[in-house]
Amino acid sequence: MFANNPLDRASHRRVDQAWLDARLKDPRSRLLAYRDLKPMLVEGAEKGPAWLRPGLIEADFGGRGAVVFLGLEGEIAHFAVEIRDSNDALEGMGGAFRDLRECVLTGDIGGEEAAILAQGKALIDWHSRHRFCAACGNPTILAEAGYKRSCSACGAEHFPRTDPVVIMLAHRDGKALLGRGKNFPGRMFSALAGFVEPGETIEEAVAREIREEAGVEVGTVHYHATQPWPFPMSLMIGCLAEAISEEIMVDEAELAEARWVPRETLRAVLEGKGDGSLWVPPPMAIAHHLIRAFVEL
Ligand SMILES: [Zn+2]
């Protein structure tokens, strides 16, 4: 989920303001509106982003916030636009603003479209929270098609962030270490996770988080895959880790429970044959794929 973005980001175009201005007037260009960080989606049977014509938003809908260039599909430029007013006429155009997480959970949105929506959401979110310079406190202005903000006073340049998060499954003797967060629904268990800290490698972050949350020591760490996670702007780095100790000591500030779960139990859960005492995250989450990778080891 949120991977395989089909757009060519064409980053060399971001500094070409004349080209960007022309694309924003080009009737072939496509704009995706966001309000309160919710993308506008087509209603009805055929779900997807509600792509709008450039003139439509400029002419009829004021209160425009950040405009960011997403990329090209062939020669067609794609932009994300933040709508700040609450003009309901936009929704009359055949779309509605919907929560992105909810849309992927329900399966209304997936595949390449989810990746484009995630790119737009992460960027719009970043602009909405970086309107002032972190160095001097003065207002910043959007630059380079949305991939930079420049300070109007001190000239400092600020760039969109991606926050690395490690998410990992420790395993030993055919069992995997799963944790249950305090706010998890029902009997949901998942892989442990945490932010990579400054000055830390991915491997060190994996070992530290497992030690801190569950008291288990790990040796070799294997990278599995990554997943963009635009809530607000993380990159989930999925790993499998070989545990070298078994005793669990849960950090009760972080987890309600952690346990070693046998491979055959997880295989049954993935095949829909579990006894209901343990749930795992759905396929939209990288944790699901880590559990699957462990089952197939
Ligand atoms: Zn400044």
Side-chain angles (χ1 to χ4, degrees), residues 134-149:
C136 77
N138 279 291
T140 56
I141 50 171
L142 183 148
E144 294 189 7
Y147 292 81
K148 186 166 103 174
R149 292 190 77 87

Side-chain angles (χ1 to χ4, degrees), residues 133-138 151-156 158:
C133 179
C136 77
N138 279 291
C151 178
S152 54
C154 77
H158 304 279

Side-chain angles (χ1 to χ4, degrees), residues 179-191 254-256 279 281:
R180 196 176 141 60
K182 291 183 163 180
N183 302 321
F184 283 15
R187 301 303 301 156
M188 177 77 76
F189 281 77
S190 187
E254 295 268 353
L255 294 178
W279 309 346

